[in-house]
Amino acid sequence: MTVRELRLVVTAADYEEALRFYRDTLGLPERAAYASPDGRVTILEAGRATLEIADPGQAEFIDRVEVGRRVAGHIRVAFEVDDSAATTRELAAAGAEVVAEPVRTPWNSLNSRLEGPAGLQLTLFTELGPEED
């Protein structure tokens, strides 16, 4: 058996707001959209997908590094972006709540934390190269 794709499915009470935020502001390209008499769904591309599994201690450590305290639930979505500081400002202007401004992590990335539409807690991260030490 081979897994070919990881798809995170989010039910958004305000579908249009979530679509504007994740597609139009964050810039996730639309792969497909479907409608039925019962509703709508849009599939957005998010680059390479991984499944990161953390035990409670590591999850708490990540929250302390990024935010200063434990704030995430059992699911958090992380997006690698070119400039986490600029993207944080853009998403905040589009309605996201900034939980923590960008901070340099021990694993050499610049991470911020936001609360996005549909109740998703988001980490934005930019990998820092050795020249940025």
Side-chain angles (χ1 to χ4, degrees):
M1 175 172 33
T2 301
V3 174
R4 301 194 189 291
E5 178 178 349
L6 169 66
R7 190 173 291 182
L8 176 66
V9 181
V10 176
T11 302
D14 190 335
Y15 175 84
E16 292 297 332
E17 174 196 29
L19 194 57
R20 275 191 304 276
F21 183 85
Y22 294 107
R23 182 191 61 198
D24 303 337
T25 305
L26 186 55
L28 302 179
E30 188 173 309
R31 179 196 297 177
Y34 304 98
S36 73
D38 296 318
R40 300 171 290 163
V41 63
T42 300
I43 300 168
L44 303 174
E45 293 286 345
R48 184 184 78 232
T50 61
L51 177 60
E52 181 176 321
I53 299 173
D55 67 18
Q58 184 65 19
E60 184 174 343
F61 173 69
I62 292 168
D63 276 4
R64 275 197 327 269
V65 167
E66 292 182 6
V67 181
R69 66 189 188 290
R70 184 75 173 122
V71 294
H74 76 287
I75 294 178
R76 175 176 50 84
V77 180
F79 293 104
E80 182 177 5
V81 298
D82 291 335
D83 184 339
S84 55
T87 305
T88 297
R89 290 189 299 272
E90 290 173 32
L91 296 186
E97 176 189 339
V98 176
V99 177
E101 294 290 339
V103 60
R104 187 183 185 127
T105 68
W107 44 93
N108 203 31
S109 62
L110 190 63
N111 295 22
S112 65
R113 191 71 70 89
L114 302 101
E115 184 80 26
L120 287 179
Q121 189 154 123
L122 311 174
T123 291
L124 300 180
F125 68 98
T126 301
E127 297 293 352
L128 301 175
E131 70 279 354
E132 299 172 83
D133 284 332

